[in-house]
Amino acid sequence: MARSGIIGGVVAALVIAGAVLGVVLVWRPAIAAIDPPSPQSFAPELVKRGRELAALGNCNDCHTVRGGKNFAGGLPVPTPFGTIFSTNITPDAETGIGRWSEGAFRRAMRLGVDRQGRHLYPTFPYDHFTNVTDEDDRALYAYLMTREPVVAAARPNQLRFPFNQRVVIAGWKLLFLHRETYHPDATKSAEWNRGAYLVEGLAHCGACHTPRNALGAERTKVAFSGGEADDWSAYAINTKSPAPVAWDADALDFYLRNGWHPDHGTARGPMAQVVKNLAAVPASDVHAIAVYMADVFGVPHAARDRAAVVAEARSGVGRAPDSEGAAIFAAACASCHDSGRPPPYGGINLALSSAPSAPDPRNLVNIVLAGVRPVEGERSPIMPGFAGTMNDQQIAVLVNYLRSRFTSQPPWGGFEKTIEEARRTQTAYLTTSAAPTSAPASATQRDKP
Ligand code: HEC
Ligand code: HEC
Ligand code: HEC
C-alpha cells in the first residue's frame, strides 16, 4: 500500500514534470501578421507547380465542403475523440490565411502550429507533410495565396475533455511527430526515391492505409497494413494485401491514373477522391509513386496471377449451388460480373476483387448497398445499389456466399452491425467512384490556377 503510494507519487511527479517540460519544449511564438501579398507577386510557374502539389496532398478534399467554396474549410472530420472542422485556407485576411507569411505556412506544414502559435490537430496530416521541401512548400503557398479569398470563419471543434485542450497536442507531438526531411536511399533509383518522398510525405497514403494506435497516431512499424477512412476500410497495401492478384508497378500506375484496373476493379469512396486528384498530377510523379509502392507490396507471388485466380473461381461455380446466397447472386449480380464486358462498365469476376477477400466485409457491404457510380455529374450508375431492394438478412446471406464462393478465407461471421452501420452512414462518398467516363483527363481538379 505505502509502496504503491510512493510509486504513485513518483509517477504523478514525473507526469507533471513531463507535461511542464513538454509545454516548454514545444511552446511556439506567434509569427507576425503580414499584409496579404498580391496574387501578381507569385510567378505563374510556381503557382502551377503548387496546384499539382495541392492535388497530391488532397488539400481540397478536407478543406472544401461539398458544394462549398474551394478551400474555405468547414468540413467535419470525425475522429475517435470528437469532430474536428477543417479551416479556411483561402487568402482571406480575417478568416483565412491571408496574413500568414510563407514562414508561417511552412511552420504549419512541418510542425502543425498555426500563425498565432497554437498547436493544430494532426487530422491535418502534418506528420506526413513535415518532410516537404522548402521549394515545394513555397509552391503550395503561392498556389493557396492566389486562390479566391473566401470569408468563412472556422467552426468550433466538438471534442471531449481533455482532447479539446490544444496543449494535449504538444504531448502527442513529442511522442509521434518526428520532423525529418527526406533522406534519399542511395541504393535505389531516382524514381523510387521520388515516389518514397511523395508517398511518405505530401500524398500521405499511410494516413488511411496504416493502422492507428489508441492515441490516433499511425503505427509506423506496421505501415500500410490496412487502416480506415471515413466508413471504408483502406486495404493493406503491403505484403498483407488481400488482392487475389498481386499488384505490380504497371497495375498501380494504371489504377492510380484511371481509377480502375482489369485485374483489380475500381477505386471507390475516399480512394476515388485520391485518384481524381492524381489526374492533375504529372504522369511521372504518379509513376514514381507506383514504383515505390510496388516495392512496398513486395515481390509478386507466382501463383497469384489472373488466369489462375479466375480459373479457380470458375471451377468453384457449383459451390453451394442451391443455397439462398447462390440464388440471390444469380438473380442480382451474375449477369454483370464476369459478363465479358471489360471494367469499369463491366463488373469484374469477383474472385479478382479485394472486397470479398479483405479481413472485414465493410467495403463489400458498402458496394452492395450503394452500387458504383462513375465520376460526379454522370447520371447513370455503372452498378445499381441494392439498399432499397434487399433487406439486411438477404445482404448477410449474399455476403457470406460471396466470401465462400470467391475466396478461400474463413467466413466473417457476426457482421450484422456492419450492415446496420453501412446503411446509416451512406455518406456523400458513396455516390462517387473514380471510374472515368472517358479519358482520365475528364476527372477534373476542382479549380484551375
Ligand atoms: C485529412 C484532412 C486534411 C488534409 C488532407 C489537409 N488538411 Fe489542412 N487541416 C485539416 C484540419 C482538420 C485542420 C484544422 C486543424 C485544427 O483545427 O487544429 C487543418 C489545418 C490546416 C492549416 C492551418 C490553418 C489555420 O487557419 O490554422 C493549414 C495551413 C492547412 N491545413 C493546409 C493544408 C494543405 C496545404 C493541405 C494539402 C497539402 C492540407 N491542409 C491537407 C485537415 C486536412
Ligand atoms: C483518404 C484515404 C486514402 C488515401 C489518402 C489513400 N487511400 Fe488508397 N484506398 C483507400 C480506401 C478506402 C481504399 C478501398 C477503396 C475501395 O474499396 O475501392 C483504397 C484502395 C487502394 C488500393 C486498392 C487496393 C486493392 O487491393 O484493391 C490501392 C492500390 C491504394 N489504395 C493505393 C493508395 C496509394 C498509393 C495512396 C497514396 C498515393 C493511397 N492509396 C491513398 C483510402 C485512401
Ligand atoms: C448492372 C451491372 C451490375 C450489377 C447488376 C451488379 N454489378 Fe457489381 N459492379 C458492376 C460494375 C460495372 C462494377 C465496377 C467494375 C468493377 O469494379 O468490377 C461493379 C463493381 C462491383 C464490386 C467491386 C469490385 C472491385 O473490387 O472493384 C463488387 C464487390 C460488386 N460489384 C458486387 C456486386 C454484387 C454482390 C452484385 C449483386 C448484388 C452486383 N455487384 C451487381 C456492375 C454490376
Side-chain angles (χ1 to χ4, degrees):
M1 182 68 196
R3 209 166 141 203
S4 70
I6 291 166
I7 292 176
V10 170
V11 169
L14 279 176
V15 167
I16 292 166
V20 170
L21 189 69
V23 171
V24 170
L25 276 178
V26 295
W27 180 79
R28 305 285 165 186
I31 293 179
I34 58 165
D35 288 332
S38 111
Q40 284 74 40
S41 64
F42 297 99
E45 260 313 295
L46 195 64
V47 173
K48 178 173 172 287
R49 185 74 200 115
R51 173 166 109 84
E52 295 164 358
L53 295 167
L56 268 163
N58 299 317
C59 317
N60 59 344
D61 279 348
C62 287
H63 285 279
T64 306
V65 185
R66 238 161 209 271
K69 298 255 178 154
N70 283 327
F71 300 116
L75 187 83
V77 187
T79 75
F81 316 106
T83 303
I84 296 174
F85 292 90
S86 68
T87 47
N88 180 350
I89 54 169
T90 72
D92 179 60
E94 305 315 321
T95 62
I97 59 168
R99 295 192 179 281
W100 290 38
S101 61
E102 187 188 317
F105 173 76
R106 195 166 52 232
R107 183 175 73 170
M109 292 286 284
R110 292 200 176 151
L111 301 174
V113 174
D114 75 2
R115 187 188 66 72
Q116 293 85 338
R118 285 178 303 224
H119 291 286
L120 294 161
Y121 288 100
T123 314
F124 168 30
Y126 53 78
D127 50 336
H128 290 273
F129 297 165
T130 192
N131 91 359
V132 174
T133 60
D134 286 4
E135 219 186 335
D136 284 355
D137 274 339
R138 183 164 308 131
L140 278 164
Y141 177 74
Y143 173 67
L144 290 174
M145 294 311 257
T146 50
R147 297 308 88 200
E148 183 201 329
V150 179
V151 180
R155 297 170 67 180
N157 296 327
Q158 298 157 0
L159 294 163
R160 288 192 313 273
F161 183 83
F163 306 108
N164 56 1
Q165 306 295 307
R166 286 190 182 265
V167 67
V168 168
I169 308 171
W172 189 95
K173 286 179 183 174
L174 280 181
L175 292 171
F176 304 117
L177 181 66
H178 309 295
R179 160 88 193 110
E180 256 180 71
T181 42
Y182 180 70
H183 300 295
D185 180 341
T187 67
K188 307 282 188 182
S189 68
E191 194 176 34
W192 185 99
N193 277 294
R194 174 76 188 155
Y197 165 71
L198 293 174
V199 165
E200 306 293 348
L202 210 47
H204 63 278
C205 311
C208 296
H209 286 280
T210 297
R212 291 178 185 269
N213 66 19
L215 292 173
E218 285 171 39
R219 296 168 54 205
T220 46
K221 288 212 173 85
V222 283
F224 305 116
S225 292
E228 278 174 35
D230 301 315
D231 303 306
W232 293 80
S233 77
Y235 304 129
I237 51 172
N238 58 11
T239 51
K240 294 204 172 73
S241 160
V245 174
W247 286 94
D248 60 20
D250 285 347
L252 283 162
D253 184 58
F254 187 97
Y255 174 88
L256 293 173
R257 257 134 56 75
N258 299 300
W260 63 278
H261 186 275
D263 292 352
H264 298 281
T266 46
R268 295 157 299 256
M271 193 59 202
Q273 301 293 123
V274 171
V275 169
K276 209 158 125 193
N277 284 335
L278 288 178
V281 169
S284 57
D285 276 350
V286 178
H287 196 260
I289 289 174
V291 165
Y292 173 68
M293 282 313 302
D295 201 22
V296 172
F297 269 101
V299 181
H301 193 288
R304 296 166 87 202
D305 80 336
R306 178 178 226 275
V309 169
V310 172
E312 196 193 312
R314 294 228 166 90
S315 74
V317 164
R319 216 179 285 164
D322 303 323
S323 69
E324 191 190 347
I328 298 175
F329 182 76
C333 323
S335 63
C336 289
H337 280 279
D338 209 25
S339 60
R341 204 172 167 215
Y345 296 103
I348 57 170
N349 185 315
L350 294 182
L352 294 167
S353 170
S354 289
S357 60
D360 77 73
R362 185 66 210 238
N363 292 4
L364 185 55
V365 171
N366 283 349
I367 296 162
V368 173
L369 284 175
V372 180
R373 279 171 207 244
V375 280
E376 250 172 294
E378 283 300 308
R379 270 173 302 131
S380 58
I382 54 182
M383 169 178 154
F386 292 86
T389 46
M390 284 190 205
N391 63 29
D392 288 9
Q393 192 261 336
Q394 287 166 321
I395 288 175
V397 164
L398 173 66
V399 162
N400 275 327
Y401 170 75
L402 297 174
R403 179 76 163 177
S404 72
R405 163 85 169 75
F406 291 108
T407 81
S408 46
Q409 312 283 342
W412 282 306
F415 54 86
E416 295 77 9
K417 275 237 156 58
T418 306
I419 300 175
E420 278 167 32
E421 228 171 77
R423 276 206 199 267
R424 251 204 326 270
T425 56
Q426 282 198 25
T427 61
Y429 272 138
L430 294 180
T431 63
T432 53
S433 121
T437 46
S438 54
S442 74
T444 50
Q445 168 78 338
R446 281 180 203 153
D447 61 337
K448 304 257 175 325

